[in-house]
Amino acid sequence: MSNEEAPIQKQQVDLEKTPEPAEPKPAEPHPAPAEEPQQPAAAPSADDAQEESHTFRALVLTGHGGYDKIKLQVKTQRMAAGSGELLVRVKACGLNFAELMGRQGLYDALASPPVTMGMECSGVVEAAGEDVEDRKAGDRVIVLSSSGLWQELVVVAADQTFLMPDAMSFQEAAALPVNYLTAHMMLFEMANLRPGKSVLVHMAAGGVGIAATQLCQTVPGVTVFGTASASKHETILQGGLSHAIDYRTKDYVEEIRNISPAGLDIVLDPLGGSDTNKGFGLLKPMGTIVVFGAANCVTGQKKNLLAIAKTWYNQLSISTMKLMQANKSVCGFHLGYMKDFSLIRTTMETLLGLYTEGKIKPRIDSTYHFEEVADAMRRMQERQNIGKVLLLPEPKKEEEKVPEKEAEKEEEKPAEAPASPQEEEKAKPEEAKEDQG
């Protein structure tokens, strides 16, 4: 599995003011007759202007490349819920591997830059448009979209939202849709998971990996193998994994064969390339491999043509005749291209029911404010996370600092005694303490 580390550098986030003019008002299709005097149009009130124009923060992909291509912008534009739509104040957003690939220009489902990314978020309804009967202002909702949700305020179709259970936090709500929908559809819709089956989950400490492990536990007698670096084994084993394998130091195919000589029933493959071939070889007769990613292509901040070529060259290639003779199934899954929203809605309702019953619970690895999007992406790309990485739209609070005047007064005071090590430690800025840690 490819895991080249990306170069670590501190991104200076650009905060840009990008006002967008309101759209021109269309002409009346049936103007009043000339003989009827018309009243002069009243100037819009301050309240009307406030309703139509909103200022909000957004993360915008300005081009393809490194972390610096994601810019934090402040936009001012009209935001109103039309017929069948909701205006939602966003509280938390999910970060997915698709966004890492999108930044590098490897995600075809994403529009060309400049574009706001973000497939999932949670928030509060601020206004409901006409014809919306089952949502109202104040409702807490989960939002799912193909893109465009990494901003403080969004307008979305009401049928793309789901009411949050009372006990669910905004962070859990933002962590659930993409990972759990992906895992559930692969396991139950494609691979037909049943009691007593065996499953291999690559990247078992990631969002989809943890979701798949939890969902496997809802079926009796399922054995779950998972690949992850050794430092994550204790956590994922406590989360329900049956066997954890360190892909960096061991041959996972050999390790699985030692435990299960007959092979596996299901392989979930987010890697692509040679790992797909290995997964197919591990399948028992009647087994299924579901390919749902190409993580082996992403080896640094920017597009790596050598890694892409290597992954493409080593991909699984098999004729239908060979497939028939092997009695195995090869499937592909990509939530971004799933057009059957009725199936998505049914699956989400199932997942929310499992959450309410306490059978699944998203694991939050870390949260980052919009200003820290580079750090969030770096953490996921370098495979440091155990669970979901989230982005928070609200501005990051400035660290408390000693006012300059108070600092000057401290310097003017006569030194009565040298400060103790403990006092010196307390006096250090927070950043200095973190550097020493």
Side-chain angles (χ1 to χ4, degrees), residues 28-145:
E28 292 289 340
H30 300 289
E35 62 271 18
E36 296 182 8
Q38 297 184 8
Q39 297 293 331
S45 66
D47 291 340
D48 292 338
Q50 187 175 6
E51 287 180 4
E52 293 185 357
S53 180
H54 295 269
T55 299
F56 56 92
R57 291 151 40 99
L59 289 175
V60 179
L61 177 66
T62 59
H64 296 140
Y67 303 128
D68 61 334
K69 296 300 182 181
I70 306 289
K71 305 292 186 182
L72 176 57
Q73 299 180 352
V74 176
K75 297 186 175 184
T76 299
Q77 66 184 54
R78 296 176 59 185
M79 297 286 283
S83 178
E85 294 180 333
L86 300 175
L87 179 65
V88 178
R89 176 71 59 177
V90 177
K91 298 295 184 180
C93 306
L95 172 62
N96 295 287
F97 212 86
E99 277 98 32
L100 301 185
M101 299 187 73
R103 193 196 71 236
Q104 295 189 2
L106 300 175
Y107 185 43
D108 293 339
L110 184 67
S112 300
V115 61
T116 298
M117 295 194 291
M119 301 171 67
E120 59 189 345
C121 73
S122 62
V124 179
V125 176
E126 289 204 346
E130 295 181 2
D131 302 325
V132 177
E133 299 178 354
D134 54 353
R135 301 287 187 272
K136 63 182 185 304
D139 282 346
R140 304 190 318 145
V141 293
I142 300 169
V143 183
L144 186 66
S145 180

Side-chain angles (χ1 to χ4, degrees), residues 18 23 37 54 95 118 120 128 134 142 161 169 198 221-222 262 364 424-425 427:
T18 57
E23 298 179 358
H54 295 269
L95 172 62
E120 59 189 345
D134 54 353
I142 300 169
T161 67
S169 68
S198 55
V222 174
I364 310 302
E424 291 179 354
E425 182 67 17

